[in-house]
Amino acid sequence: MSSFATILHKDLRLELRGGQSTITLNILSLLILTVLTFALDAPSRSSLLAAGALWVAMIFAGLAGATQAMVSEWENECIRCLLLSPADRGAIYAAKLVASFIFMTVAQITSLFLMVFFFDLNFDMRIVRLAPVLMMGAMGFASLTTLLAAIQAQIKTGELLLPLLTVPVFIPALISGVKATQAALAGLPFAGFAQWLKILGACDLLFLAGGYLLFEQVVSED
Amino acid sequence: MNTAQLEARQVSKIFGVLPVLRCIDLRVNRGEGALIVGRNGSGKSTLMRILAGLSRPSSGQALLFGEPAHSLGPQQRCRISLVSHRSFLYPRLTARENLEFYARLYRVTDYQYVVEKLLDRVGLGSFADEPVFAFSRGMEQRLTIARSMMTEPEVLVMDEPFAALDAEGIDIAAELVRDALQRGCAVVMTAHDPHQLRHLAFISYSLENGRLVMAHFGSDSEGRKPRPAAAG
């Protein structure tokens, strides 16, 4: 088993045992979508609002839950032992990223069902078209927060760092994601929101490359 | 000339404007043990982290197998093991799962047998399937020592490994360290109480005001004499 698979297997086992990430993500998503549903005027509910609500739920729930795989490594300073091990730093980052991505995807599936229910939408091809948009959003968000969670963990008073840095940096991806979601929910074909998907893809690549290249610097001591 | 397994050459470390380590020289060859004692805050843990390659010195060099400790490749990293103040254990995994995780990471062959043997050796065989969060501090420390021995390292860096251990735990840990020394492992260790190590033939040093000086606590009486060249 490769280092990547070994670390990912451990993270998934920890999650199955405690459910810290997925439970946090799902409960927060439910809470946010419920609040937004009641806050928004019922007659004005539409796919436009649904798209916004879905991404708000993803961002705020993600900030609390998606970083658990990384944060757990700072408990008992396990990250130091990982860094001393023969595991490649890139493999450590990739395993943490994939774990966060899986946790977010699970939460997104729940959010999607809740959104359809709360916003009186139908389960049809529009929902299927959302899959790549949401997966790309989750990938970008997971790759960014995995790196920023590692920075936060290194700084003793850095609790506010994650939300303060994540939201502004993620804004281009967020706008693209919301626009692509709106288009998909409005029933447009892929070509209708391809440009937003391209921007989202470019953001993902940037976050992935940045995370991969900077991870070693971030987790190393002076 | 025989290459030292572990070597510090004029290692200094400064945090901000505060010098913690000043021109430390230390050399540990195969099968040798070095004991470093010092008060709280004397810089022992900082030195251990530098020697293990986790932290860079502000000046000077820390070498493992003749190469800079902080830039070892994966193959070289397989040859060292660190026991730190923190256990490096995942609280929600069981003792067995923790050891098996690290064994897979280090590609230990026949790891299930190795893990089983080590758990028995440190007296945790009957707690193998208990989660680590349920362990006492002493049990956690025993498991930490088992983890560090699992890969049969060539260099063992141990920061107060006997802390929190009871008398039986100290004897078990000392026996594992002795086995490692006989295997040719180079061991460097810190301790508050050097008398806990009276059964181990270690060269003793004291870390005072950031400098490493030769020391004698009676622990060398059964073994070798201190090497004058090593004092910083």
Side-chain angles (χ1 to χ4, degrees):
Chain A
M1 198 186 273
S2 68
S3 302
F4 165 79
T6 303
I7 298 168
L8 180 61
H9 178 258
K10 182 264 299 172
D11 283 340
L12 295 180
R13 173 180 270 176
L14 280 173
E15 183 59 26
L16 283 173
R17 199 152 293 172
Q20 282 182 315
S21 287
T22 40
I23 290 173
T24 307
L25 280 161
N26 281 312
I27 288 178
L28 276 173
S29 298
L30 171 65
L31 186 69
I32 291 164
L33 284 170
T34 306
V35 168
L36 288 174
T37 304
F38 284 97
L40 299 169
D41 192 23
S44 67
R45 283 180 202 170
S46 68
S47 59
L48 298 176
L49 292 176
L54 189 64
W55 281 81
V56 167
M58 185 182 109
I59 299 297
F60 286 100
L63 281 173
T67 55
Q68 283 301 319
M70 180 53 78
V71 171
S72 70
E73 295 299 343
W74 265 264
E75 210 174 0
N76 289 335
E77 288 196 3
C78 296
I79 187 73
R80 304 279 165 243
C81 206
L82 286 189
L83 293 175
L84 275 181
S85 79
D88 180 64
R89 271 67 164 159
I92 299 172
Y93 173 73
K96 297 286 147 194
L97 160 64
V98 171
S100 289
F101 174 72
I102 292 170
F103 304 155
M104 286 204 69
T105 303
V106 171
Q108 279 185 333
I109 292 168
T110 310
S111 299
L112 203 57
F113 278 97
L114 291 170
M115 182 194 74
V116 169
F117 174 72
F118 284 142
F119 287 84
D120 296 330
L121 302 174
N122 294 320
F123 279 104
D124 52 26
M125 278 309 287
R126 293 180 303 166
I127 303 298
V128 176
R129 269 196 222 108
L130 267 183
V133 181
L134 295 181
M135 287 180 78
M136 285 169 76
M139 178 53 77
F141 194 77
S143 51
L144 180 64
T145 51
T146 298
L147 179 70
L148 295 180
I151 296 174
Q152 179 182 253
Q154 290 283 63
I155 302 169
K156 282 179 184 163
T157 53
E159 289 84 5
L160 278 175
L161 197 71
L162 188 67
L164 281 178
L165 284 180
T166 303
V167 176
V169 175
F170 196 69
I171 276 180
L174 182 63
I175 293 169
S176 315
V178 172
K179 285 290 185 187
T181 306
Q182 282 177 347
L185 288 177
L188 294 180
F190 267 120
F193 54 94
Q195 57 176 348
W196 296 115
L197 282 182
K198 283 178 190 167
I199 296 172
L200 194 54
C203 290
D204 281 8
L205 280 177
L206 199 66
F207 297 147
L208 276 168
Y212 183 82
L213 294 173
L214 294 174
F215 184 72
E216 181 167 3
Q217 296 299 319
V218 165
V219 294
S220 298
E221 289 183 25
D222 285 340
Chain B
M1 186 180 158
N2 184 24
T3 305
Q5 294 289 80
L6 182 152
E7 193 175 2
R9 289 183 189 162
Q10 293 287 297
V11 165
S12 297
K13 184 75 177 181
I14 300 169
F15 290 119
V17 291
L18 182 72
V20 176
L21 301 173
R22 302 166 197 251
C23 301
I24 302 285
D25 281 316
L26 178 70
R27 186 184 166 91
V28 187
N29 293 323
R30 282 176 59 84
E32 286 185 352
L35 168 67
I36 298 167
V37 294
R39 290 180 307 199
N40 288 336
S42 60
K44 300 188 300 293
S45 298
T46 303
L47 180 59
M48 292 297 105
R49 290 167 100 89
I50 290 172
L51 292 175
L54 276 178
S55 180
R56 290 169 188 257
S58 303
S59 64
Q61 267 192 316
L63 303 172
L64 284 165
F65 320 111
E67 293 179 29
H70 64 266
S71 57
L72 291 181
Q75 295 304 317
Q76 303 287 60
R77 290 203 295 270
C78 271
R79 299 164 68 190
I80 63 168
S81 197
L82 170 70
V83 173
S84 166
H85 280 298
R86 307 299 295 269
S87 66
F88 302 154
L89 299 170
Y90 296 92
R92 280 181 289 135
L93 292 184
T94 66
R96 189 197 310 278
E97 286 167 348
N98 265 288
L99 292 192
E100 285 185 353
F101 167 67
Y102 284 114
R104 281 197 291 261
L105 213 54
Y106 278 84
R107 306 209 190 330
V108 175
T109 50
D110 200 9
Y111 68 84
Q112 280 158 330
Y113 169 73
V114 173
V115 165
E116 208 66 42
K117 199 175 73 173
L118 268 169
L119 283 169
D120 284 338
R121 186 99 191 261
V122 296
L124 294 176
S126 52
F127 300 97
D129 297 314
E130 297 293 325
V132 167
F133 68 72
F135 279 16
S136 70
R137 180 74 187 91
M139 291 164 80
E140 204 173 318
Q141 191 64 6
R142 287 185 187 210
L143 190 60
T144 300
I145 289 166
R147 175 195 54 74
S148 72
M149 298 292 178
M150 198 166 49
T151 55
E152 298 197 345
E154 292 171 49
V155 169
L156 198 46
V157 179
M158 307 179 96
D159 192 6
E160 296 186 26
F162 297 163
L165 289 179
D166 56 14
E168 187 198 44
I170 290 172
D171 286 344
I172 291 168
E175 200 178 297
L176 284 166
V177 172
R178 200 178 301 116
D179 288 354
L181 285 167
Q182 282 170 0
R183 217 173 43 233
C185 178
V187 182
V188 61
M189 185 185 289
T190 66
H192 274 305
D193 181 7
H195 300 293
Q196 288 176 332
L197 296 157
R198 61 190 178 278
H199 301 308
L200 296 169
F202 273 24
I203 303 166
S204 303
Y205 303 93
S206 178
L207 197 53
E208 296 168 11
N209 299 318
R211 295 187 185 279
L212 202 60
V213 293
M214 302 299 294
H216 187 79
F217 306 103
S219 58
D220 299 324
S221 58
E222 297 175 31
R224 67 208 70 177
K225 287 181 180 172
R227 268 177 309 160

